[in-house]
Amino acid sequence: MKNQKTKRFMVLLVITLTTSVLAHGLPLKNNYETTIENTVKYKKINIQGIDVAYREAGNPKNPAIVLLHGFPSSSHQYRKVLNALSDEFYLIAPDYPGFGNSDFPSATSYEYTFDNLANTIEVFLEKLKIRSYALMIQDYGAPIGLRIATKYPERITAIINQNGNAYKEGLGPAWKDVKAFWANRSPETEKALLPVFSIEGLKWQYTHGTRNPENVNPDTWHLDYLRMSRPNAHKVNLDLFYDYQNNIKLYPKWQKYFRDNQPPLLIVWGKNDAFFPESGAQAFKKDVKSIDYNIYDTGHFALEEESKSIIKKIRFFLKKNGVK
């Protein structure tokens, strides 16, 4: 008798749950299929003799987002975005040569300049046949992505900008030693920059300006430190620091691109960034008529502390601007 009551209760429970699911229009399947679809894949492709690593997520039939990372990071900085948005978008996040899991060619076999990094990423996108995409840029991702955008404005469906600078107003106080380095490259000015590559210096870049440093996963700077500890890594990154001054010379060209093309622009900016403070975000208002403008009380890597809010903004912004 007790067993019959138990069976009757279980049958009623199944019927109730099924009715509830159907009433709310929810699919009668488990989450396994969704989990498989949203899995990030870790791939490599040979670009002009260099294996470029990249993270891929989502269905290639969906609208594409190309995510370009900053210094000293890699595509790892976009891990939360890839996992969250792969249900509706196709996301590609490459590691530049010398960064992340890409090859680290010597400075004698690969020219570490922003022109050349942008050329590598341009060829990378061509090889993957990605010719229409939104750009997400941060730090180094800005000079690399904006070189490509000015060359192929028709390919850019939108720009998501998280502390990616294009104005002199956006160069903050943390550039002091780099500017001295630009004025006179010498053993002394190089030595002044070496703390940037230390474990303490890398941690500072992730945690400075955050509301709570405990919100930032320490794996981030420890991964970067391992890469910065490879032979010749300091030399290569000093070369890129030195070349960064050539990005500033291109600021007028990029500003003209914004004025002439008016791409949909989402600003999601950490205002406490010592490298690119909020004044860099405000400067875009001079050239872009309509901006979805969002400032966060956090630092250089805003996604570490504000990923939930920023990802929600990205989804809404892209759909609003027809990138869906």
Side-chain angles (χ1 to χ4, degrees), residues 4-31:
Q4 287 180 341
K5 287 183 177 180
T6 301
K7 288 180 181 178
R8 195 176 299 117
F9 172 78
M10 293 303 295
V11 169
L12 289 171
L13 178 63
V14 170
I15 291 171
T16 302
L17 289 173
T18 303
T19 303
S20 176
V21 166
L22 291 173
H24 289 85
L26 300 175
L28 278 172
K29 65 177 182 179
N30 60 30
N31 289 328

PDB file of all heavy atoms in Angstrom, residues 4-31:
ATOM      1  N   GLN A   4       2.432   1.711  -3.377  1.00  0.00           N
ATOM      2  CA  GLN A   4       1.487   2.232  -4.364  1.00  0.00           C
ATOM      3  C   GLN A   4       1.316   3.741  -4.211  1.00  0.00           C
ATOM      4  O   GLN A   4       1.242   4.476  -5.208  1.00  0.00           O
ATOM      5  CB  GLN A   4       0.129   1.524  -4.202  1.00  0.00           C
ATOM      6  CG  GLN A   4       0.144   0.073  -4.691  1.00  0.00           C
ATOM      7  CD  GLN A   4      -1.216  -0.585  -4.515  1.00  0.00           C
ATOM      8  OE1 GLN A   4      -2.046  -0.111  -3.733  1.00  0.00           O
ATOM      9  NE2 GLN A   4      -1.426  -1.677  -5.228  1.00  0.00           N
ATOM     10  N   LYS A   5       1.263   4.216  -2.959  1.00  0.00           N
ATOM     11  CA  LYS A   5       1.140   5.661  -2.719  1.00  0.00           C
ATOM     12  C   LYS A   5       2.380   6.398  -3.213  1.00  0.00           C
ATOM     13  O   LYS A   5       2.277   7.485  -3.787  1.00  0.00           O
ATOM     14  CB  LYS A   5       0.930   5.917  -1.222  1.00  0.00           C
ATOM     15  CG  LYS A   5      -0.441   5.535  -0.718  1.00  0.00           C
ATOM     16  CD  LYS A   5      -0.586   5.884   0.754  1.00  0.00           C
ATOM     17  CE  LYS A   5      -1.988   5.561   1.254  1.00  0.00           C
ATOM     18  NZ  LYS A   5      -2.148   5.886   2.697  1.00  0.00           N
ATOM     19  N   THR A   6       3.546   5.798  -2.999  1.00  0.00           N
ATOM     20  CA  THR A   6       4.792   6.419  -3.447  1.00  0.00           C
ATOM     21  C   THR A   6       4.826   6.530  -4.963  1.00  0.00           C
ATOM     22  O   THR A   6       5.196   7.567  -5.526  1.00  0.00           O
ATOM     23  CB  THR A   6       6.010   5.604  -2.948  1.00  0.00           C
ATOM     24  OG1 THR A   6       5.961   5.540  -1.537  1.00  0.00           O
ATOM     25  CG2 THR A   6       7.310   6.239  -3.390  1.00  0.00           C
ATOM     26  N   LYS A   7       4.442   5.449  -5.650  1.00  0.00           N
ATOM     27  CA  LYS A   7       4.417   5.456  -7.113  1.00  0.00           C
ATOM     28  C   LYS A   7       3.431   6.502  -7.640  1.00  0.00           C
ATOM     29  O   LYS A   7       3.699   7.207  -8.607  1.00  0.00           O
ATOM     30  CB  LYS A   7       4.037   4.067  -7.631  1.00  0.00           C
ATOM     31  CG  LYS A   7       5.135   3.017  -7.447  1.00  0.00           C
ATOM     32  CD  LYS A   7       4.684   1.671  -7.984  1.00  0.00           C
ATOM     33  CE  LYS A   7       5.786   0.628  -7.776  1.00  0.00           C
ATOM     34  NZ  LYS A   7       5.341  -0.716  -8.252  1.00  0.00           N
ATOM     35  N   ARG A   8       2.244   6.556  -6.979  1.00  0.00           N
ATOM     36  CA  ARG A   8       1.224   7.529  -7.398  1.00  0.00           C
ATOM     37  C   ARG A   8       1.749   8.959  -7.231  1.00  0.00           C
ATOM     38  O   ARG A   8       1.548   9.819  -8.087  1.00  0.00           O
ATOM     39  CB  ARG A   8      -0.055   7.328  -6.555  1.00  0.00           C
ATOM     40  CG  ARG A   8      -1.270   8.024  -7.152  1.00  0.00           C
ATOM     41  CD  ARG A   8      -2.530   7.736  -6.348  1.00  0.00           C
ATOM     42  NE  ARG A   8      -2.849   6.307  -6.330  1.00  0.00           N
ATOM     43  CZ  ARG A   8      -2.871   5.556  -5.243  1.00  0.00           C
ATOM     44  NH1 ARG A   8      -2.594   6.089  -4.068  1.00  0.00           N
ATOM     45  NH2 ARG A   8      -3.198   4.283  -5.309  1.00  0.00           N
ATOM     46  N   PHE A   9       2.460   9.209  -6.143  1.00  0.00           N
ATOM     47  CA  PHE A   9       3.028  10.535  -5.882  1.00  0.00           C
ATOM     48  C   PHE A   9       4.064  10.899  -6.953  1.00  0.00           C
ATOM     49  O   PHE A   9       4.086  12.018  -7.465  1.00  0.00           O
ATOM     50  CB  PHE A   9       3.673  10.565  -4.495  1.00  0.00           C
ATOM     51  CG  PHE A   9       4.452  11.823  -4.224  1.00  0.00           C
ATOM     52  CD1 PHE A   9       3.798  12.992  -3.878  1.00  0.00           C
ATOM     53  CD2 PHE A   9       5.834  11.844  -4.347  1.00  0.00           C
ATOM     54  CE1 PHE A   9       4.507  14.152  -3.646  1.00  0.00           C
ATOM     55  CE2 PHE A   9       6.537  12.999  -4.104  1.00  0.00           C
ATOM     56  CZ  PHE A   9       5.889  14.157  -3.759  1.00  0.00           C
ATOM     57  N   MET A  10       4.922   9.939  -7.316  1.00  0.00           N
ATOM     58  CA  MET A  10       5.956  10.193  -8.323  1.00  0.00           C
ATOM     59  C   MET A  10       5.343  10.490  -9.685  1.00  0.00           C
ATOM     60  O   MET A  10       5.805  11.362 -10.422  1.00  0.00           O
ATOM     61  CB  MET A  10       6.896   8.989  -8.424  1.00  0.00           C
ATOM     62  CG  MET A  10       7.752   8.750  -7.182  1.00  0.00           C
ATOM     63  SD  MET A  10       8.762  10.170  -6.735  1.00  0.00           S
ATOM     64  CE  MET A  10       9.861  10.229  -8.168  1.00  0.00           C
ATOM     65  N   VAL A  11       4.285   9.758 -10.041  1.00  0.00           N
ATOM     66  CA  VAL A  11       3.610   9.998 -11.321  1.00  0.00           C
ATOM     67  C   VAL A  11       3.013  11.393 -11.353  1.00  0.00           C
ATOM     68  O   VAL A  11       3.138  12.145 -12.331  1.00  0.00           O
ATOM     69  CB  VAL A  11       2.517   8.933 -11.559  1.00  0.00           C
ATOM     70  CG1 VAL A  11       1.642   9.326 -12.751  1.00  0.00           C
ATOM     71  CG2 VAL A  11       3.154   7.570 -11.800  1.00  0.00           C
ATOM     72  N   LEU A  12       2.360  11.776 -10.248  1.00  0.00           N
ATOM     73  CA  LEU A  12       1.774  13.120 -10.176  1.00  0.00           C
ATOM     74  C   LEU A  12       2.835  14.208 -10.243  1.00  0.00           C
ATOM     75  O   LEU A  12       2.636  15.257 -10.866  1.00  0.00           O
ATOM     76  CB  LEU A  12       0.962  13.257  -8.874  1.00  0.00           C
ATOM     77  CG  LEU A  12      -0.352  12.467  -8.810  1.00  0.00           C
ATOM     78  CD1 LEU A  12      -0.942  12.520  -7.405  1.00  0.00           C
ATOM     79  CD2 LEU A  12      -1.353  13.043  -9.820  1.00  0.00           C
ATOM     80  N   LEU A  13       3.975  13.943  -9.611  1.00  0.00           N
ATOM     81  CA  LEU A  13       5.067  14.917  -9.628  1.00  0.00           C
ATOM     82  C   LEU A  13       5.601  15.122 -11.039  1.00  0.00           C
ATOM     83  O   LEU A  13       5.816  16.260 -11.480  1.00  0.00           O
ATOM     84  CB  LEU A  13       6.197  14.444  -8.704  1.00  0.00           C
ATOM     85  CG  LEU A  13       7.433  15.341  -8.642  1.00  0.00           C
ATOM     86  CD1 LEU A  13       7.050  16.719  -8.081  1.00  0.00           C
ATOM     87  CD2 LEU A  13       8.515  14.714  -7.770  1.00  0.00           C
ATOM     88  N   VAL A  14       5.784  14.033 -11.785  1.00  0.00           N
ATOM     89  CA  VAL A  14       6.266  14.125 -13.170  1.00  0.00           C
ATOM     90  C   VAL A  14       5.285  14.880 -14.037  1.00  0.00           C
ATOM     91  O   VAL A  14       5.652  15.740 -14.843  1.00  0.00           O
ATOM     92  CB  VAL A  14       6.527  12.704 -13.744  1.00  0.00           C
ATOM     93  CG1 VAL A  14       6.773  12.784 -15.242  1.00  0.00           C
ATOM     94  CG2 VAL A  14       7.711  12.064 -13.046  1.00  0.00           C
ATOM     95  N   ILE A  15       3.971  14.576 -13.856  1.00  0.00           N
ATOM     96  CA  ILE A  15       2.940  15.262 -14.649  1.00  0.00           C
ATOM     97  C   ILE A  15       2.941  16.757 -14.350  1.00  0.00           C
ATOM     98  O   ILE A  15       2.856  17.606 -15.243  1.00  0.00           O
ATOM     99  CB  ILE A  15       1.557  14.650 -14.356  1.00  0.00           C
ATOM    100  CG1 ILE A  15       1.485  13.224 -14.916  1.00  0.00           C
ATOM    101  CG2 ILE A  15       0.446  15.512 -14.972  1.00  0.00           C
ATOM    102  CD1 ILE A  15       0.230  12.470 -14.489  1.00  0.00           C
ATOM    103  N   THR A  16       3.058  17.092 -13.063  1.00  0.00           N
ATOM    104  CA  THR A  16       3.068  18.510 -12.649  1.00  0.00           C
ATOM    105  C   THR A  16       4.248  19.252 -13.240  1.00  0.00           C
ATOM    106  O   THR A  16       4.104  20.362 -13.772  1.00  0.00           O
ATOM    107  CB  THR A  16       3.100  18.615 -11.113  1.00  0.00           C
ATOM    108  OG1 THR A  16       1.969  17.948 -10.580  1.00  0.00           O
ATOM    109  CG2 THR A  16       3.092  20.068 -10.676  1.00  0.00           C
ATOM    110  N   LEU A  17       5.447  18.649 -13.162  1.00  0.00           N
ATOM    111  CA  LEU A  17       6.644  19.289 -13.696  1.00  0.00           C
ATOM    112  C   LEU A  17       6.556  19.447 -15.198  1.00  0.00           C
ATOM    113  O   LEU A  17       6.939  20.481 -15.763  1.00  0.00           O
ATOM    114  CB  LEU A  17       7.879  18.478 -13.312  1.00  0.00           C
ATOM    115  CG  LEU A  17       8.284  18.515 -11.839  1.00  0.00           C
ATOM    116  CD1 LEU A  17       9.418  17.526 -11.572  1.00  0.00           C
ATOM    117  CD2 LEU A  17       8.713  19.925 -11.448  1.00  0.00           C
ATOM    118  N   THR A  18       6.050  18.413 -15.882  1.00  0.00           N
ATOM    119  CA  THR A  18       5.921  18.471 -17.345  1.00  0.00           C
ATOM    120  C   THR A  18       4.959  19.562 -17.761  1.00  0.00           C
ATOM    121  O   THR A  18       5.204  20.337 -18.691  1.00  0.00           O
ATOM    122  CB  THR A  18       5.450  17.116 -17.887  1.00  0.00           C
ATOM    123  OG1 THR A  18       6.363  16.106 -17.488  1.00  0.00           O
ATOM    124  CG2 THR A  18       5.355  17.140 -19.415  1.00  0.00           C
ATOM    125  N   THR A  19       3.811  19.648 -17.057  1.00  0.00           N
ATOM    126  CA  THR A  19       2.818  20.683 -17.353  1.00  0.00           C
ATOM    127  C   THR A  19       3.411  22.073 -17.160  1.00  0.00           C
ATOM    128  O   THR A  19       3.197  22.989 -17.965  1.00  0.00           O
ATOM    129  CB  THR A  19       1.588  20.519 -16.436  1.00  0.00           C
ATOM    130  OG1 THR A  19       1.058  19.206 -16.610  1.00  0.00           O
ATOM    131  CG2 THR A  19       0.523  21.550 -16.766  1.00  0.00           C
ATOM    132  N   SER A  20       4.187  22.248 -16.063  1.00  0.00           N
ATOM    133  CA  SER A  20       4.814  23.538 -15.784  1.00  0.00           C
ATOM    134  C   SER A  20       5.797  23.929 -16.874  1.00  0.00           C
ATOM    135  O   SER A  20       5.834  25.072 -17.331  1.00  0.00           O
ATOM    136  CB  SER A  20       5.526  23.495 -14.430  1.00  0.00           C
ATOM    137  OG  SER A  20       6.209  24.696 -14.190  1.00  0.00           O
ATOM    138  N   VAL A  21       6.607  22.959 -17.328  1.00  0.00           N
ATOM    139  CA  VAL A  21       7.582  23.227 -18.376  1.00  0.00           C
ATOM    140  C   VAL A  21       6.911  23.652 -19.660  1.00  0.00           C
ATOM    141  O   VAL A  21       7.277  24.627 -20.321  1.00  0.00           O
ATOM    142  CB  VAL A  21       8.473  21.974 -18.609  1.00  0.00           C
ATOM    143  CG1 VAL A  21       9.246  22.103 -19.904  1.00  0.00           C
ATOM    144  CG2 VAL A  21       9.433  21.783 -17.445  1.00  0.00           C
ATOM    145  N   LEU A  22       5.836  22.901 -20.045  1.00  0.00           N
ATOM    146  CA  LEU A  22       5.128  23.226 -21.280  1.00  0.00           C
ATOM    147  C   LEU A  22       4.441  24.579 -21.184  1.00  0.00           C
ATOM    148  O   LEU A  22       4.409  25.352 -22.145  1.00  0.00           O
ATOM    149  CB  LEU A  22       4.100  22.134 -21.585  1.00  0.00           C
ATOM    150  CG  LEU A  22       4.680  20.761 -21.979  1.00  0.00           C
ATOM    151  CD1 LEU A  22       3.565  19.726 -22.088  1.00  0.00           C
ATOM    152  CD2 LEU A  22       5.452  20.866 -23.295  1.00  0.00           C
ATOM    153  N   ALA A  23       3.919  24.884 -20.022  1.00  0.00           N
ATOM    154  CA  ALA A  23       3.215  26.162 -19.828  1.00  0.00           C
ATOM    155  C   ALA A  23       4.145  27.347 -19.991  1.00  0.00           C
ATOM    156  O   ALA A  23       3.737  28.411 -20.446  1.00  0.00           O
ATOM    157  CB  ALA A  23       2.574  26.195 -18.443  1.00  0.00           C
ATOM    158  N   HIS A  24       5.408  27.171 -19.618  1.00  0.00           N
ATOM    159  CA  HIS A  24       6.375  28.268 -19.720  1.00  0.00           C
ATOM    160  C   HIS A  24       7.182  28.229 -21.003  1.00  0.00           C
ATOM    161  O   HIS A  24       8.109  29.009 -21.180  1.00  0.00           O
ATOM    162  CB  HIS A  24       7.325  28.235 -18.515  1.00  0.00           C
ATOM    163  CG  HIS A  24       6.659  28.628 -17.239  1.00  0.00           C
ATOM    164  ND1 HIS A  24       5.962  27.731 -16.463  1.00  0.00           N
ATOM    165  CD2 HIS A  24       6.561  29.838 -16.614  1.00  0.00           C
ATOM    166  CE1 HIS A  24       5.473  28.357 -15.398  1.00  0.00           C
ATOM    167  NE2 HIS A  24       5.815  29.622 -15.460  1.00  0.00           N
ATOM    168  N   GLY A  25       6.851  27.320 -21.899  1.00  0.00           N
ATOM    169  CA  GLY A  25       7.526  27.279 -23.190  1.00  0.00           C
ATOM    170  C   GLY A  25       8.965  26.849 -23.123  1.00  0.00           C
ATOM    171  O   GLY A  25       9.760  27.247 -23.960  1.00  0.00           O
ATOM    172  N   LEU A  26       9.325  26.041 -22.110  1.00  0.00           N
ATOM    173  CA  LEU A  26      10.713  25.614 -21.971  1.00  0.00           C
ATOM    174  C   LEU A  26      10.917  24.286 -22.669  1.00  0.00           C
ATOM    175  O   LEU A  26      10.039  23.433 -22.685  1.00  0.00           O
ATOM    176  CB  LEU A  26      11.071  25.483 -20.488  1.00  0.00           C
ATOM    177  CG  LEU A  26      10.930  26.756 -19.676  1.00  0.00           C
ATOM    178  CD1 LEU A  26      11.191  26.456 -18.201  1.00  0.00           C
ATOM    179  CD2 LEU A  26      11.895  27.814 -20.182  1.00  0.00           C
ATOM    180  N   PRO A  27      12.087  24.062 -23.277  1.00  0.00           N
ATOM    181  CA  PRO A  27      12.326  22.823 -24.001  1.00  0.00           C
ATOM    182  C   PRO A  27      12.448  21.629 -23.062  1.00  0.00           C
ATOM    183  O   PRO A  27      13.033  21.731 -21.985  1.00  0.00           O
ATOM    184  CB  PRO A  27      13.661  23.090 -24.720  1.00  0.00           C
ATOM    185  CG  PRO A  27      14.335  24.108 -23.876  1.00  0.00           C
ATOM    186  CD  PRO A  27      13.245  24.956 -23.310  1.00  0.00           C
ATOM    187  N   LEU A  28      11.874  20.506 -23.474  1.00  0.00           N
ATOM    188  CA  LEU A  28      11.973  19.290 -22.681  1.00  0.00           C
ATOM    189  C   LEU A  28      13.258  18.546 -23.025  1.00  0.00           C
ATOM    190  O   LEU A  28      13.261  17.549 -23.744  1.00  0.00           O
ATOM    191  CB  LEU A  28      10.757  18.386 -22.953  1.00  0.00           C
ATOM    192  CG  LEU A  28       9.489  18.729 -22.181  1.00  0.00           C
ATOM    193  CD1 LEU A  28       8.323  17.893 -22.686  1.00  0.00           C
ATOM    194  CD2 LEU A  28       9.693  18.493 -20.702  1.00  0.00           C
ATOM    195  N   LYS A  29      14.392  19.071 -22.581  1.00  0.00           N
ATOM    196  CA  LYS A  29      15.671  18.403 -22.781  1.00  0.00           C
ATOM    197  C   LYS A  29      16.604  18.864 -21.671  1.00  0.00           C
ATOM    198  O   LYS A  29      16.387  19.895 -21.036  1.00  0.00           O
ATOM    199  CB  LYS A  29      16.262  18.734 -24.150  1.00  0.00           C
ATOM    200  CG  LYS A  29      16.634  20.202 -24.334  1.00  0.00           C
ATOM    201  CD  LYS A  29      17.269  20.424 -25.694  1.00  0.00           C
ATOM    202  CE  LYS A  29      17.696  21.883 -25.855  1.00  0.00           C
ATOM    203  NZ  LYS A  29      18.331  22.127 -27.141  1.00  0.00           N
ATOM    204  N   ASN A  30      17.624  18.072 -21.454  1.00  0.00           N
ATOM    205  CA  ASN A  30      18.576  18.464 -20.421  1.00  0.00           C
ATOM    206  C   ASN A  30      19.544  19.491 -20.971  1.00  0.00           C
ATOM    207  O   ASN A  30      19.447  19.901 -22.136  1.00  0.00           O
ATOM    208  CB  ASN A  30      19.302  17.237 -19.860  1.00  0.00           C
ATOM    209  CG  ASN A  30      20.082  16.500 -20.943  1.00  0.00           C
ATOM    210  OD1 ASN A  30      20.553  17.114 -21.904  1.00  0.00           O
ATOM    211  ND2 ASN A  30      20.212  15.187 -20.797  1.00  0.00           N
ATOM    212  N   ASN A  31      20.493  19.942 -20.149  1.00  0.00           N
ATOM    213  CA  ASN A  31      21.423  20.995 -20.556  1.00  0.00           C
ATOM    214  C   ASN A  31      22.656  20.478 -21.269  1.00  0.00           C
ATOM    215  O   ASN A  31      23.554  21.241 -21.594  1.00  0.00           O
ATOM    216  CB  ASN A  31      21.860  21.803 -19.323  1.00  0.00           C
ATOM    217  CG  ASN A  31      20.721  22.652 -18.800  1.00  0.00           C
ATOM    218  OD1 ASN A  31      19.894  23.108 -19.572  1.00  0.00           O
ATOM    219  ND2 ASN A  31      20.666  22.830 -17.492  1.00  0.00           N
TER     220      ASN A  31
END
